[in-house]
Amino acid sequence: MSTKWLSPDEERAWRAFLRVVVAVQTGTARDLASIELSEPDYEVLSTLSEQPDHTSTLGRQADKMGWSRSRLSRHASRMETRGMLRREPDPADGRGCLLVLTAYGLETLADAAPVHVASVRHHFIDRLTPEDLLAVERIARRLGQAP
């Protein structure tokens, strides 16, 4: 099998993509860290807050976030220790559990959301034109499709 190496243009595009992903993620992670949250913390809080009664099965939540169940379970344990969520038995699945956002978790999210939005604006949105944003969305849709 012969390797189809990247052309110089392809190589520059690939490296530029990697650099921008790292730069944006580093900036938003740093901003959330200033309020003692990680990006995964924020992702769990925000996606769980969107669920009815702020409750989801671990499996459904992991699928929604694109995480493995074991990764979410380990992270949920850390967040549970901090009082942001709690686990309850899943009445529909004796082996599963429900993740429930606590009042403290909702309060934490309410405090963090303005910081997160300002960070996303600073590191991403405000640096792009409306046309750029449409192009990013189009590219993301294309890359998100199965090959």
Side-chain angles (χ1 to χ4, degrees), residues 92-108:
D93 178 0
R95 297 179 312 162
C97 73
L98 300 174
L99 299 179
V100 182
L101 199 57
T102 63
Y104 176 67
L106 278 171
E107 179 183 317
T108 300

Side-chain angles (χ1 to χ4, degrees), residues 10-63:
E10 292 167 337
E11 179 77 17
R12 279 192 308 278
W14 172 243
R15 291 187 183 270
F17 171 77
L18 291 177
R19 281 191 301 274
V20 76
V21 167
V22 168
V24 170
Q25 286 184 325
T26 299
T28 57
R30 184 180 52 245
D31 294 342
L32 283 172
S34 73
I35 57 170
E36 299 182 3
L37 279 181
S38 67
E39 285 185 309
D41 290 338
Y42 189 84
E43 180 74 7
V44 171
L45 292 173
S46 63
T47 57
L48 199 52
S49 76
E50 298 165 353
Q51 299 303 310
D53 299 321
H54 306 138
T55 301
S56 178
T57 66
L58 187 128
R60 189 169 55 238
Q61 186 70 9
D63 290 345

